[in-house]
Amino acid sequence: MAASALRIALNPYSNDVVAPRPAYSSSTVKIATFSDSSNRTPLFSSSTLSNCENSNHANRFSPVRVSRSSRVSGSDLHTFDVVIVGAGIIGLTIARQFLLRSNLSVALVDAAVPCAGATGAGQGYIWRVHKTPDSEKWELAMRSHQLWEALAESIQNQGMDPLLALGWKKTGSMLVGRTAQECSLLMRQVKQLADAGLGAEFLSRDDLLSEEPALKLGEECGAAFMPDDCQLDARCAVAFIEKANRSFEAEGRYAEFYYEPVTSLLRNESSGEVEGVQTSKNTLHCEKAVVVAAGCWSGSLMHDLIKNSEIELDLPVKPRKGHLLVLENFNSLNLNHGLMEVGYVNHESAVLSSTTSDSRTGYDDTASISMTATMDMSGRLVLGSSRQLVGFNTDISESIIHRIWERAREFFPVLKEVSLKDLNKSREVRVGLRPYSKLPGGKPVIGPVPGLSKMLLAAGHEGEGLSLALGTAEMVFNMVLENPQIVNPAPFSL
């Protein structure tokens, strides 16, 4: 595919495909991340990747570098307009926004490679059925969803298949309740979503079982249903966006510095203005901005970068560990939609506990388990999910996998006929560290760093990195270029 065609497909603003302006994310595999960022390594096996993932997987380990004469050729000193620290879905889409919507040059820096962290370990849904219309994240979530839909439509208009390009599929989403009390909550949720203009509906027991016959939940069950919701494959989406970003390398506008942890911040001695970053191998100067989008490492990274300065900053972003169980060629259960139990909403907001935390680490090792289930683009069954505050630990816990399996069995009795031990050869376990934000409502931090001119943050999206990515990228882009904002950024500032 020609680079120009790929760029058009990636630009949701092309061909007038513009989302309307609103009012104002055969083995056991660990997708892991490490507190020692210099040793972070992607641990997924290429044998477990789908076709779209394999197509770009090998190239991802050889970062592209600029060669235009305005850069310092053959040197470890480089100058860009924007330097982005973090190559997860947030960092990649911010880079994409600058490349597509401006003439600025971009450097993308990471201690590992894309999909080595939370992005590669995620479930891939961008569902809206569990979101709250009156929350401070609502407008950002809706804007991001509009942009994802516009991107998928643009890909289709260019004669490509969004399923193959992004893993994009219309699954619909359900928030499932098992009791009359839970169904009462779901009815209120449906009303809120409908009042906000979304096509939500409440499904009674018979309607729910008609949509998902495998569910067996008793006489009082029901669900909030969003039939138009979609999901994507995070690794496919990353590969597609990364390939498009790399098409700007020939112009000297884009370079990747992977396996290069940032070691220090470059500041002007007299003004204190941020001038760039030092990595383990290169000096990267910026003309416009440095954007830190390093996921769950953003807090510890910022602490290290400013520890010897006069700046005081407590970035409330911590790692929150999660497990997913992925089953290949599993024919015992087929799903028509993406599902999560109503308790998932409270599961998302689980916080640190002073009564159960480890006195040495300050973290709570009690895992919150909530049922989520979907079929991915390759027909694999994806079951979740867990949330656990255990620092940067990424060890696979078989007890957590067992609890996820047992929780799923409560909703799908057909699973009781299958032993989890018999699935060891066809399972994949994903472990990732979500960037958990301690701000009210779990809001991400998006905006300038107080006291550090030309430095911005985009972190703390927790399990919503995919669903909030495109809106976050647009917001950061508009901040750097001082453009009018489409979504009010005030709720996300420090």
Side-chain angles (χ1 to χ4, degrees):
M1 181 189 303
S4 58
L6 185 59
R7 291 185 202 173
I8 293 172
L10 266 176
N11 188 351
Y13 305 93
S14 65
N15 297 336
D16 298 322
V17 183
V18 182
R21 294 169 66 102
Y24 259 109
S25 118
S26 60
S27 57
T28 297
V29 182
K30 180 168 70 172
I31 313 258
T33 45
F34 300 88
S35 55
D36 179 2
S37 58
S38 64
N39 291 323
R40 284 169 53 196
T41 307
L43 298 178
F44 49 83
S45 164
S46 61
S47 65
T48 67
L49 303 181
S50 59
N51 290 336
C52 67
E53 294 157 331
N54 278 325
S55 65
N56 287 288
H57 182 65
N59 292 337
R60 223 174 281 159
F61 294 87
S62 302
V64 297
R65 295 292 166 84
V66 292
S67 57
R68 199 170 68 178
S69 59
S70 61
R71 309 286 179 255
V72 182
S73 180
S75 169
D76 60 0
L77 174 65
H78 309 272
T79 300
F80 298 86
D81 293 308
V82 180
V83 176
I84 300 168
V85 182
I89 192 63
I90 301 298
L92 280 165
T93 53
I94 292 172
R96 166 186 177 271
Q97 188 77 13
F98 280 103
L99 293 169
L100 287 174
R101 302 291 286 164
S102 75
N103 291 320
L104 299 182
S105 58
V106 177
L108 188 62
V109 188
D110 200 285
V113 292
C115 285
T119 296
Q123 201 161 2
Y125 61 75
I126 53 173
W127 307 331
R128 297 166 292 175
V129 70
H130 62 299
K131 298 190 183 297
T132 307
D134 60 357
S135 70
E136 291 183 304
K137 292 188 289 185
W138 176 256
E139 292 295 346
L140 179 60
M142 293 305 101
R143 177 58 179 167
S144 293
H145 196 274
Q146 291 169 346
L147 293 172
W148 277 119
E149 287 185 324
L151 174 54
E153 183 177 352
S154 179
I155 290 170
Q156 190 166 25
N157 288 342
Q158 297 302 312
M160 296 179 285
D161 186 348
L163 175 64
L164 297 178
L166 301 175
W168 179 271
K169 54 187 290 194
K170 180 178 175 181
T171 59
S173 64
M174 289 185 181
L175 195 59
V176 179
R178 297 187 286 179
T179 67
Q181 183 179 9
E182 289 180 344
C183 286
S184 179
L185 293 173
L186 291 174
M187 289 178 188
R188 290 199 292 271
Q189 173 73 0
V190 166
K191 185 179 186 306
Q192 281 187 302
L193 293 171
D195 290 345
L198 301 185
E201 55 188 272
F202 179 78
L203 300 181
S204 62
R205 175 187 178 277
D206 290 345
D207 291 334
L208 172 57
L209 298 185
S210 176
E211 293 286 344
E212 291 293 350
L215 283 168
K216 304 295 180 186
L217 300 176
E219 296 297 322
E220 296 181 340
C221 69
F225 183 35
M226 285 280 296
D228 293 331
D229 263 354
C230 297
Q231 67 186 42
L232 48 77
D233 185 290
R235 300 178 199 173
C236 287
V238 162
F240 187 73
I241 292 171
E242 187 179 41
K243 183 176 181 180
N245 287 353
R246 289 179 170 188
S247 70
F248 291 90
E249 185 270 338
E251 302 172 17
R253 289 186 53 209
Y254 180 67
E256 295 163 351
F257 297 86
Y258 293 164
Y259 297 114
E260 292 192 32
V262 170
T263 58
S264 62
L265 195 61
L266 306 179
R267 298 178 65 190
N268 185 284
E269 291 184 1
S270 57
S271 68
E273 182 178 80
V274 172
E275 296 184 332
V277 298
Q278 178 67 49
T279 77
S280 58
K281 300 176 183 177
N282 289 279
T283 301
L284 306 177
H285 284 281
C286 73
E287 298 288 348
K288 291 282 188 183
V290 169
V291 182
V292 173
C296 67
W297 292 276
S298 298
S300 56
L301 174 62
M302 287 301 302
H303 175 270
D304 290 344
L305 292 180
I306 65 173
K307 63 183 178 183
N308 295 321
S309 73
E310 75 286 0
I311 304 297
E312 293 185 5
L313 175 70
D314 180 20
L315 180 59
V317 176
K318 306 290 184 182
R320 185 147 72 167
K321 182 179 180 180
H323 288 69
L324 288 177
L325 174 62
V326 184
L327 300 177
E328 187 107 26
N329 300 319
F330 187 74
N331 300 319
S332 298
L333 175 63
N334 287 298
L335 301 176
N336 299 317
H337 308 287
L339 297 95
M340 58 179 68
E341 65 173 288
V342 67
Y344 182 87
V345 178
N346 294 329
H347 167 69
E348 267 194 315
S349 60
V351 296
L352 284 168
S353 168
S354 59
T355 59
T356 60
S357 61
D358 186 309
S359 60
R360 293 169 298 133
T361 66
Y363 286 103
D364 180 3
D365 62 1
T366 303
S368 170
I369 307 292
S370 184
M371 188 281 293
T372 62
T374 192
M375 309 291 291
D376 71 8
M377 63 172 291
S378 301
R380 294 174 294 190
L381 177 64
V382 184
L383 297 174
S385 64
S386 69
R387 278 175 164 79
Q388 201 176 8
L389 289 157
V390 289
F392 290 94
N393 178 285
T394 57
D395 294 338
I396 291 174
S397 169
E398 288 298 329
S399 65
I400 297 295
I401 296 303
H402 177 74
R403 289 178 60 191
I404 288 173
W405 181 250
E406 290 302 314
R407 190 66 173 174
R409 281 176 154 187
E410 295 179 24
F411 289 81
F412 307 105
V414 68
L415 298 181
K416 295 179 180 180
E417 302 171 9
V418 183
S419 170
L420 186 57
K421 292 181 180 179
D422 295 337
L423 301 174
N424 283 341
K425 293 183 179 180
S426 61
R427 80 174 194 175
E428 171 190 346
V429 174
R430 299 178 187 172
V431 177
L433 300 176
R434 304 178 185 90
Y436 164 63
S437 169
K438 295 172 66 178
L439 290 180
K443 297 178 296 184
V445 177
I446 308 171
V449 178
L452 288 175
S453 176
K454 290 170 57 175
M455 190 168 198
L456 294 89
L457 292 165
H461 295 75
E462 220 265 350
E464 298 179 290
L466 280 170
S467 61
L468 299 180
L470 296 187
T472 297
E474 183 179 67
M475 185 179 289
V476 170
F477 173 82
N478 288 332
M479 286 176 177
V480 172
L481 296 187
E482 300 182 349
N483 294 334
Q485 290 284 0
I486 295 176
V487 175
N488 181 13
F492 308 101
S493 63
L494 284 174

